[in-house]
Amino acid sequence: MLRQRLPAQIALGMANPVAGDQIKMTNHDWAFSIQALQARLGVQRLQIINDFTALALALPSIHSAHLVQIGGTVALPFAPKALVGAGTGLGVSGLLPTDANDHWVAIAGEGGHVTLAAQTETEYRVIELIRHRYGHVSAERVLSGQGLVDLYLALRQLKKETPVDVAGAAEITAWALQDKDPLAQQSIEMFAGFLGSVLATWH
C-alpha cells in the first residue's frame, strides 16, 4: 500500500496566540513544539498562525456583497478591514493596506481580551453582575457562546426573575426566535450592541 505523500510546506491556523516555538492552547490543554511537529511530519516548512489572522488574509478574496461597511457613505477600496467572530471566544483580526497595489498586512492579536465597555446604564449593570462572577469582563467573556448564556442570566438577575437552567446559547437563541422569552430577545439585542461597539473601534 502506497503512503500518501505530504506537501513540502504546511500552514496551519489555530485559535491561539502564536509566539515562538512552543504552542499552548488558551481554551484547551493541548501543547506542542512547532519544530518537533515539523520533524515528525517530515516537511521542509511548517507555519503556524492564528486562525483569525488566516481568515483576515482571505478578506480581499471575498466579494463586497458579503462584507459590511462600517461608517461613511462610500466604501474605500484600500481602507482597513475588520474581522470578528464569536464562538468559544471572540476572534478578532483585520487587514491594513500597505500600498495601492492590493498589498495588505494582517493584524495578529488577541483583541477578544480587551475590557468590554458599557454604552448604557443597563449594559453597565449587566457587566457589573458578570464581573462579580468572573472578575475581569473581557469582550469575549460576553461575546461568545457561554457569554450569551451569562448575559441572559445576568439580565434575569437584574430583572429579579426566577433562576432557570439554560442548556446553552442555542436554547436562548431559539427562545428569542420563537418569541418565547422577552429577556432572550433582549439578550440577543444586547449581544449585537456589544459586538457593534467592538466593530466601531475600527471606524
Side-chain angles (χ1 to χ4, degrees):
M1 181 176 180
L2 294 176
R3 182 180 177 183
Q4 186 175 5
R5 296 181 61 184
L6 289 173
Q9 301 185 56
I10 296 175
L12 299 175
M14 293 186 61
N16 205 71
V18 179
D21 177 65
Q22 293 295 321
I23 302 294
K24 188 177 186 308
M25 296 193 70
T26 305
N27 296 321
H28 198 276
D29 59 2
W30 189 30
F32 65 94
S33 158
I34 297 175
Q35 290 182 357
L37 181 59
Q38 178 180 348
R40 184 170 181 179
L41 292 173
V43 295
Q44 295 175 11
R45 183 183 181 195
L46 174 63
Q47 183 77 37
I48 308 291
I49 61 176
N50 176 266
D51 60 336
F52 266 73
T53 302
L55 289 170
L57 291 169
L59 287 175
S61 302
I62 298 176
H63 193 277
S64 60
H66 301 294
L67 302 175
V68 177
Q69 181 179 336
I70 303 173
T73 56
V74 178
L76 301 176
F78 295 107
K81 299 179 186 296
L83 175 72
V84 296
T88 55
L90 180 68
V92 179
S93 186
L95 286 182
L96 296 177
T98 60
D99 55 35
N101 296 314
D102 204 21
H103 294 155
W104 304 81
V105 60
I107 299 170
E110 291 294 304
H113 295 287
V114 299
T115 301
L116 186 65
Q119 302 295 319
T120 68
E121 177 66 24
T122 300
E123 289 179 355
Y124 175 82
R125 294 173 68 188
V126 164
I127 289 174
E128 282 301 297
L129 289 172
I130 297 174
R131 192 190 321 276
H132 288 155
R133 180 175 182 182
Y134 295 107
H136 175 243
V137 181
S138 64
E140 74 171 9
R141 174 63 69 190
V142 171
L143 296 174
S144 61
Q146 179 57 43
L148 180 59
V149 175
D150 291 329
L151 188 60
Y152 173 76
L153 294 176
L155 277 171
R156 288 193 69 88
Q157 183 179 347
L158 186 64
K159 301 291 185 180
K160 303 188 185 308
E161 296 284 346
T162 304
V164 296
D165 291 327
V166 180
E171 186 172 28
I172 295 170
T173 303
W175 291 342
L177 292 174
Q178 297 165 13
D179 293 326
K180 288 186 175 181
D181 187 341
L183 287 182
Q185 180 65 43
Q186 186 177 355
S187 299
I188 298 293
E189 292 172 355
M190 187 173 288
F191 187 100
F194 280 131
L195 187 58
S197 68
V198 171
L199 284 170
T201 61
W202 284 78
H203 185 275

